[in-house]
Amino acid sequence: MNSSGLKKSNKVVEKSGNKGARLAFALDDAKKELSSWSPHFDVKVVRSLDKSIKKEKSIPFGTRFAVNMGLKMGFMQFVEIRFR
């Protein structure tokens, strides 16, 4: 999640009454920030849900919708790190 998404998510967590599940850090530019951790990292950023996940019935519609919107609006992203 980026900084904006982190703030929004933590507000939702607080409203739910859960004090121990706050998100701790954000990545505003995952590729840039994570690549600097190691020269052996190959970072791939994905900003959309796979078609199979969009239709997966075991994941509630509200969750799929929220994640998809977060990805489209740029608040969140999936990051894949491979080792070279």
Side-chain angles (χ1 to χ4, degrees):
M1 252 181 224
N2 66 14
S3 300
S4 298
L6 180 79
K7 289 176 188 174
K8 291 175 189 298
S9 291
N10 280 333
K11 284 182 183 179
V12 171
V13 170
E14 287 173 13
K15 284 183 181 180
S16 75
N18 191 337
K19 303 288 184 201
R22 290 181 50 85
L23 300 170
F25 69 95
L27 293 171
D28 290 306
D29 185 345
K31 189 165 192 148
K32 180 181 174 185
E33 294 172 48
L34 295 174
S35 292
S36 69
W37 289 10
S38 171
H40 302 288
F41 281 2
D42 183 26
V43 180
K44 178 182 175 186
V45 177
V46 179
R47 290 192 168 88
S48 64
L49 284 178
D50 183 84
K51 288 180 183 178
S52 62
I53 295 173
K54 285 182 182 179
K55 296 178 181 180
E56 179 58 51
K57 299 298 182 193
S58 66
I59 303 170
F61 173 77
T63 301
R64 288 181 283 144
F65 180 79
V67 169
N68 197 41
M69 291 307 295
L71 290 167
K72 285 185 178 186
M73 295 173 72
F75 292 128
M76 62 187 303
Q77 56 197 334
F78 290 112
V79 180
E80 179 180 321
I81 301 172
R82 294 184 183 197
F83 296 93
R84 296 183 206 160

